Amino acid sequence: EDEKVHLTSLLEANIHSTVIENVLSELSNDDKKQFLKNLLSDNHEITLEHLKIKIEKLEDKIKNSVEDLKKELLEDLAKAQKLAQENNS
């Protein structure tokens, strides 16, 4: 059970950092500063509205980055399972 909680926490952190990285890559330096101010204010509505104004097709880009991460994690999991099976043989 503790392992599941830990893995869930790692997954959430991966998703969060992937989304933040992709969002920041789309913003100018001034917009990055404003985004970080908004983020630190913990006002999600203002943060999201700012991003929607500054990044075309924001939701699609976030969705695609999470899907890419999902694919990468599933590939890593498959490799880990294969290695575990080989080590147990």
Side-chain angles (χ1 to χ4, degrees):
E1 189 63 31
D2 286 344
E3 200 171 290
K4 283 184 181 182
V5 171
H6 181 67
L7 287 173
T8 300
S9 176
L10 287 174
L11 181 59
E12 289 172 354
N14 265 313
I15 291 170
H16 186 260
S17 65
T18 297
V19 170
I20 295 294
E21 182 180 315
N22 281 290
V23 164
L24 288 175
S25 73
E26 296 281 331
L27 297 174
S28 70
N29 285 337
D30 287 341
D31 289 331
K32 286 177 188 176
K33 290 175 187 174
Q34 185 61 50
F35 168 70
L36 292 174
K37 285 180 188 175
N38 293 341
L39 197 61
L40 291 173
S41 74
D42 210 27
N43 187 327
H44 301 296
E45 289 178 23
I46 289 175
T47 303
L48 186 57
E49 195 57 39
H50 175 249
L51 292 176
K52 284 181 177 180
I53 291 168
K54 297 295 179 176
I55 301 174
E56 192 174 323
K57 298 183 181 181
L58 173 68
E59 291 90 351
D60 290 341
K61 290 179 180 179
I62 290 173
K63 182 180 173 185
N64 289 339
S65 68
V66 171
E67 284 297 319
D68 290 345
L69 175 64
K70 178 181 165 185
K71 195 181 326 181
E72 183 181 324
L73 291 172
L74 287 172
E75 288 171 2
D76 289 347
L77 184 59
K79 287 177 188 176
Q81 287 176 329
K82 184 177 178 181
L83 281 172
Q85 288 173 348
E86 288 172 0
N87 289 335
N88 289 333
S89 297

